[in-house]
Structures are given as structure tokens and as C-alpha cells.
Amino acid sequence: MRTRIDGDENIASGRDTIINNVSEDKQEYGVITDIFDFVLKKYKEENYEIDTESSSVRDKLIHIKKKVELNFSDADEQKEVKQYFNKLYTKINFVEKAFQTLDSEEQSDIHYYVLNNYNKIKNESKDVTQIQILYRLTDFFIPENSIKNPTYRSIAQSIVLFFFDDCTIFEKTSNESQQTSLFDLI
């Protein structure tokens, strides 16, 4: 338990100073509760519900499902990746919207960064699994001082899943068009 002093910072005179013994845990719990209440209120106001009846959302989910099954042969890994998409779907959409606001040069730089790090991890060892690549790519997006911050981790994972979905990384399904390379133009 810590002692907290509330007042006008003129504690030398002792006037307008209240000394409270406040449990730090109770105070932090109150802040957490306030934040959750605020987020839930905003969530309801802005209606972040996923409309799975929409044909575009449905098509996207079918695409993601096929892509997960193509890239992760182990049933447990498929289940895990699908859980990530399920839990992070709203954040992935936010990532997509934020990415679209970047100019084409910045988008190109980020695509290169993602693809380059994907290839580095993939080519390090023949024993590296797809799920390990997914985990390790997430770390490339987190500043070192925030590596244990769950918010940074979930957003970084959302970024990786966004690039998984847009075919920058991992294998493409047969329905996805192959990108034209500079060498296809000659």
C-alpha cells in the first residue's frame, strides 16, 4: 500500500492537502475498468460487428480459410492461425485501412520489408515451420521496448496476418493471380 497525497502541490503549508491510503491494486483496477467501459461503449457506438452475411466478407473468409489450409499442413497450426484471424479480425481491418492511407512508395517499402524478412526466416533453416515464421515475423514489427506489450503484439500479429491475406508472404492459392515481375515484362 502506498500513501498518496492530493492537493495543490503546496504541501509545505499543509493546507488543502489530503493524505489517502489507497491500495495501488484497487486504483489500477479502477483504471482498467474505466478503460474497458470506455472501449466497450465506443465499440457499441461505432458498431464493429463483423457482418458475415455480406458477400465480400464471406468471400474474404473463404479465401483466408483456403490460404490457411494451403500454408499450414498441421491441423493444430491451422486451428491456431484461424483463431488469430478470428480474434484479430477487426484489428486486421484497421491495419488495412491505415495501410491504404500510405502513399505508394511507403506501401512498397513496407511490402519489401515484410517480404525480405519472411524470406530471411524461411531460408535460415529447412527445419523452420510455417507457424514459426508467423511468430518470428510478428517480432519484426514490435519496437524493442514494447516487445512484451500485449497491445503491440496483437497489432503486430494483425499486420503479419494482413500481409498473409494480401499474398505478400506465404504461398498463394490457385485463385490468386500471380504478380507480374519486372522479368515478365521482357
Side-chain angles (χ1 to χ4, degrees):
M1 185 172 309
R2 292 178 13 166
T3 302
R4 193 173 115 212
I5 300 175
D6 292 332
D8 65 356
E9 297 184 10
N10 185 4
I11 61 173
S13 69
R15 196 176 51 146
D16 297 327
T17 303
I18 304 166
I19 298 177
N20 294 319
N21 290 326
V22 178
S23 166
E24 191 172 315
D25 290 343
K26 283 184 182 180
Q27 185 178 11
E28 288 177 358
Y29 181 75
V31 170
I32 292 168
T33 303
D34 286 346
I35 290 172
F36 283 167
D37 289 345
F38 171 76
V39 169
L40 291 172
K41 180 181 174 200
K42 293 294 278 183
Y43 180 85
K44 289 175 185 171
E45 286 173 3
E46 296 180 22
N47 192 18
Y48 288 119
E49 293 295 316
I50 299 168
D51 180 12
T52 56
E53 299 302 315
S54 159
S55 63
S56 64
V57 171
R58 212 169 151 65
D59 290 347
K60 188 169 188 157
L61 293 173
I62 290 169
H63 160 76
I64 291 169
K65 182 177 185 253
K66 287 179 182 176
K67 189 154 174 138
V68 168
E69 291 168 354
L70 172 67
N71 283 283
F72 299 91
S73 55
D74 181 75
D76 289 336
E77 289 181 357
Q78 287 180 10
K79 182 179 176 184
E80 184 176 348
V81 175
K82 288 176 185 177
Q83 285 175 333
Y84 290 143
F85 270 103
N86 189 45
K87 297 288 184 195
L88 299 172
Y89 194 79
T90 302
K91 288 183 182 182
I92 295 166
N93 285 331
F94 287 149
V95 168
E96 182 176 8
K97 287 176 185 173
F99 188 74
Q100 290 170 350
T101 65
L102 300 174
D103 67 43
S104 61
E105 187 68 28
E106 291 169 321
Q107 287 182 7
S108 189
D109 290 346
I110 293 173
H111 274 287
Y112 175 78
Y113 179 82
V114 173
L115 182 61
N116 185 49
N117 284 302
Y118 168 76
N119 286 329
K120 278 183 191 175
I121 296 168
K122 184 177 170 184
N123 294 325
E124 276 177 5
S125 166
K126 301 277 184 211
D127 297 330
V128 68
T129 65
Q130 297 288 66
I131 199 77
Q132 289 170 330
I133 293 172
L134 195 70
Y135 295 150
R136 291 183 52 202
L137 273 174
T138 299
D139 291 338
F140 281 99
F141 287 95
I142 305 173
E144 199 172 304
N145 62 344
S146 300
I147 202 80
K148 293 185 180 183
N149 183 315
T151 302
Y152 276 82
R153 182 149 298 280
S154 68
I155 292 173
Q157 186 72 56
S158 300
I159 292 169
V160 172
L161 293 174
F162 166 73
F163 286 109
F164 172 85
D165 177 34
D166 94 334
C167 304
T168 301
I169 53 176
F170 292 90
E171 300 301 317
K172 295 173 176 39
T173 64
S174 59
N175 295 346
E176 295 168 326
S177 62
Q178 298 294 323
Q179 284 185 315
T180 304
S181 80
L182 291 175
F183 299 103
D184 293 334
L185 301 174
I186 54 173

